[in-house]
Amino acid sequence: MKFRRKSATEPETPDQAATEPAEGSEGQVSRPAGPYDVSEMPDLPEGVQRIDLGSLLIAPVVGTELRLQVDEASGEVQAVLLTAPEGALELRAFAAPRNGDLWSEVRPQIAADMSQRGGTASEEEGRWGTELACELTRTLSDGRTGQQLSRIIGINGARWMLRATLIGGPARPGADRDTWDAVISTVAVRRGDGAMPVGEPLPLALPEGARRVGG
């Protein structure tokens, strides 16, 4: 599913990049108003609709292609990808405790896993607090090796945590982070009312009318 216009990663409308002053900033510093819980997500302009993927509702982003990462064995959707020529944004949502800070708990685990795989993970401060800047050496199909950069952001919500991973160009130092942060801020999360173990992925679903390609 592709969203085409002349801009590469600009949100569909300016409303989707809404910001609000950070606490105590007196308007000098701003942060994205989202991501949102589904119960409080703002309406989009007339004619623009979010794509309902179950636990995630995604606003169209021009110049990107929406892809779903599907487990071949179970057929379950595992992650949402917004891909652009320079890289990709991967989105996953997880069940979290009420008033908890799941991101602070899982961040050291992600860093340790990256280290075990021979990569590096360093903490940096971003719009939503502490995030991870990662670098991993990968072997390409032609036998050459290259560095894969990623930037992992965890955002605690209402009994959910959204994990956003920027891959490739969007994770490089000097990349237009404000543009990609604005995309992340448009996401809405549907947690559901049922009891779930902390850290369990929230279920994703194919959008209505979608069909599988390839295989």
Side-chain angles (χ1 to χ4, degrees):
M1 182 180 297
K2 295 183 180 179
F3 310 109
R4 293 189 181 92
R5 272 193 197 172
K6 59 184 178 181
S7 176
T9 53
E10 182 183 355
E12 184 74 13
T13 66
D15 296 43
Q16 295 176 351
T19 60
E20 61 184 14
E23 235 177 275
S25 67
E26 298 182 354
Q28 295 179 357
V29 179
S30 62
R31 61 179 174 83
Y36 302 94
D37 188 79
V38 69
S39 64
E40 61 182 14
M41 65 180 182
D43 292 332
L44 297 181
E46 185 177 355
V48 180
Q49 293 184 336
R50 290 181 175 85
I51 301 164
D52 191 338
L53 301 170
S55 61
L56 293 178
L57 289 84
I58 309 296
V61 181
V62 295
T64 69
E65 182 176 357
L66 175 67
R67 297 181 182 180
L68 302 179
Q69 197 174 75
V70 180
D71 181 81
E72 293 294 333
S74 66
E76 294 181 353
V77 182
Q78 295 183 318
V80 176
L81 288 168
L82 284 172
T83 65
E86 65 270 32
L89 168 63
E90 179 191 273
L91 297 165
R92 299 173 185 249
F94 302 85
R98 192 184 304 274
N99 302 321
D101 185 0
L102 182 59
W103 175 235
S104 291
E105 297 179 23
V106 302
R107 191 171 63 248
Q109 301 171 18
I110 296 173
D113 177 69
M114 186 65 63
S115 178
Q116 290 177 358
R117 295 163 60 191
T120 62
S122 57
E123 292 191 345
E124 297 181 353
E125 290 303 307
R127 290 198 182 187
W128 292 278
T130 306
E131 54 191 46
L132 291 175
C134 305
E135 187 171 339
L136 181 66
T137 301
R138 301 294 299 269
T139 302
L140 306 178
S141 57
D142 59 5
R144 295 181 300 164
T145 59
Q147 300 300 311
Q148 177 178 293
L149 302 180
S150 60
R151 175 180 162 223
I152 307 176
I153 304 167
I155 304 163
N156 296 304
R159 298 174 64 213
W160 51 260
M161 184 196 78
L162 178 68
R163 191 174 79 195
T165 303
L166 293 161
I167 304 166
R172 295 184 183 282
D176 189 356
R177 295 194 169 191
D178 287 345
T179 296
W180 285 99
D181 285 352
V183 173
I184 295 169
S185 73
T186 68
V187 176
V189 180
R190 181 188 286 121
R191 162 62 171 80
D193 298 325
M196 296 181 68
V198 172
E200 181 169 325
L202 300 182
L204 291 163
L206 291 171
E208 186 177 351
R211 64 185 181 87
R212 186 168 178 174
V213 178

